[in-house]
Amino acid sequence: MNKNLPKVSVVTITYGHEKYIKETLDGVMMQQYSGPVEFIIANDNSPDATEEIVKKYFLENPAPSNFEIKYTKHAANKGMMPNFIWALEQATGKYIALCEGDDYWTDPLKLQKQVDFFEEYKECVFVFTAAISLRGTIEEEYFSNKLFTSGLISKKLFLQNGGGNFATASVVFKKDDLLPIPPFFKNATAGDMFLALLAVTKGEIGYISDKTAAYRQMASNSWTASLTYEKYVEHYLTLQSLLGEFDLYTENRYTEITNMLRKSYTTNYIYMQLIHLPLKDSLITVFNNLSFKNDFRYNKQLIKTFVWRLLKRRKIFS
């Protein structure tokens, strides 16, 4: 072990991931990083075989000498966000890498590349990489690498899609810049987005074009898989409330960014209404939200979404 290299804490939260957790463990344990690695696995009292799989894995695959394994199964379920915050608070490394129990890393040099990036760009506090996206067995290139080139990137562009321009499993950030987590964070329904928002207030954002991680879309027991229209409405209202709390926390120093996010979330919310509300209500939504400020692009997308809904309805009920 090279003690001169900075310690990296790898944080994995898991619940109901018996189908995926071995790949998560494989991706972390194959890392060719000779500095100290602290691997924190926080099992949120998962009722499936996740714990048995984790314990068997480390019995059969002893950790390298530079790895310290810290596995915890909570006696009672905390919930996703409290478990995530708890796991982050256990980290003692200079850098924290994220990989939830249904995602995995694909590049054995992932940690080394991101540590090297931080050492080169001292002002950077948060660096992510390109990734692949898995929907079932279908593998796609994660769209973020079409927007960015390697190096420091525009904060506005980074948050342009509501903070969804990165795969969580590709992220490493500086612990001392982002922790402790602000109090409002515990109410977030999507912690990665607020980590990203917090990061842009603390320093620069970095990107590496190498694909180093895989993000599973709609994996069983994931937040996206359980998302209903009602949950989406709750998610939208929570996001708007949290952005207000973030403005208070930062004393309104970043309202240009939060207003951009509000607009993005509101637009997505309108499209969800067009898709899920009864047809008559969808039509009313279109008329209520048409822009009269020469926003041709926005109006075109609004009408296209409604027409898609009409065609889908005809196909389903024909």
Side-chain angles (χ1 to χ4, degrees), residues 179-236:
L179 299 187
I181 294 295
F184 70 85
F185 194 96
K186 67 180 184 297
N187 297 318
T189 50
D192 50 359
M193 194 286 293
F194 276 94
L195 271 180
L197 181 57
L198 189 60
V200 301
T201 71
K202 301 293 185 178
E204 297 300 322
I205 307 300
Y207 173 71
I208 298 172
S209 60
D210 297 344
K211 291 188 280 290
T212 71
Y215 160 64
R216 293 186 198 274
Q217 296 190 54
M218 305 301 288
S220 57
N221 288 304
S222 68
W223 181 78
T224 50
S226 64
L227 192 62
T228 62
Y229 175 67
E230 290 73 22
K231 282 187 177 181
Y232 185 87
V233 172
E234 181 183 353
H235 173 60
Y236 166 76

Side-chain angles (χ1 to χ4, degrees), residues 36-310:
V37 178
E38 174 184 60
F39 190 9
I40 298 165
I41 306 165
N43 181 342
D44 200 14
N45 195 30
S46 184
D48 64 359
T50 296
E51 178 166 47
E52 289 77 7
I53 294 169
V54 171
K55 288 184 173 180
K56 181 181 178 184
Y57 183 93
F58 288 112
L59 282 174
E60 297 177 351
N61 304 276
S65 60
N66 63 318
F67 270 72
E68 181 182 9
I69 310 300
K70 295 182 177 180
Y71 172 74
T72 300
K73 181 179 181 181
H74 299 303
N77 182 265
K78 289 178 173 289
M80 182 183 69
M81 197 54 58
N83 186 35
F84 182 47
I85 294 172
W86 179 89
L88 291 178
E89 290 172 344
Q90 310 314 303
T92 62
K94 181 178 180 179
Y95 303 120
I96 297 179
L98 304 178
C99 190
E100 295 180 10
D102 54 351
D103 298 328
Y104 60 95
W105 295 344
T106 59
D107 185 347
L109 295 176
K110 177 187 185 294
L111 291 181
Q112 186 65 60
K113 290 175 180 178
Q114 291 179 284
V115 170
D116 289 345
F117 190 96
F118 280 121
E119 297 301 304
E120 180 180 355
Y121 297 95
K122 302 292 186 182
E123 66 273 41
C124 181
V125 299
F126 183 108
V127 60
F128 67 105
T129 76
I132 59 173
S133 171
L134 294 174
R135 187 180 290 272
T137 58
I138 300 173
E139 183 177 309
E140 300 173 346
E141 197 171 84
Y142 202 75
F143 66 85
S144 60
N145 66 341
K146 297 175 183 176
L147 299 175
F148 311 117
T149 56
S150 291
L152 299 179
I153 62 172
S154 157
K155 295 179 180 181
K156 185 175 181 180
L157 186 59
F158 173 57
L159 291 175
Q160 196 171 60
N161 191 41
N165 283 336
F166 63 93
T168 308
S170 76
V171 168
V172 178
F173 61 87
K174 288 182 177 176
K175 179 176 78 84
D176 289 346
D177 285 305
L178 270 66
L179 299 187
I181 294 295
F184 70 85
F185 194 96
K186 67 180 184 297
N187 297 318
T189 50
D192 50 359
M193 194 286 293
F194 276 94
L195 271 180
L197 181 57
L198 189 60
V200 301
T201 71
K202 301 293 185 178
E204 297 300 322
I205 307 300
Y207 173 71
I208 298 172
S209 60
D210 297 344
K211 291 188 280 290
T212 71
Y215 160 64
R216 293 186 198 274
Q217 296 190 54
M218 305 301 288
S220 57
N221 288 304
S222 68
W223 181 78
T224 50
S226 64
L227 192 62
T228 62
Y229 175 67
E230 290 73 22
K231 282 187 177 181
Y232 185 87
V233 172
E234 181 183 353
H235 173 60
Y236 166 76
L237 295 174
T238 300
L239 285 172
Q240 296 289 10
S241 174
L242 288 173
L243 287 174
E245 292 189 53
F246 180 83
D247 281 336
L248 290 175
Y249 174 75
T250 57
E251 298 179 335
N252 294 309
R253 294 194 302 272
Y254 301 96
T255 52
E256 182 181 355
I257 289 174
T258 53
N259 286 338
M260 179 185 74
L261 290 173
R262 285 187 180 94
K263 182 178 179 181
S264 174
Y265 296 143
T266 299
T267 300
N268 289 339
Y269 178 55
I270 291 168
Y271 293 153
M272 287 291 284
Q273 287 180 306
L274 293 182
I275 294 168
H276 290 279
L277 290 178
L279 200 59
K280 180 181 176 182
D281 293 333
S282 294
L283 185 58
I284 293 171
T285 299
V286 171
F287 283 111
N288 286 343
N289 289 282
L290 284 172
S291 172
F292 297 100
K293 297 179 181 179
N294 299 317
D295 198 343
F296 172 76
R297 215 168 160 190
Y298 169 77
N299 288 339
K300 180 182 176 183
Q301 185 59 43
L302 198 66
I303 293 168
K304 275 179 67 177
T305 304
F306 180 72
V307 170
W308 174 85
R309 167 73 192 279
L310 280 174

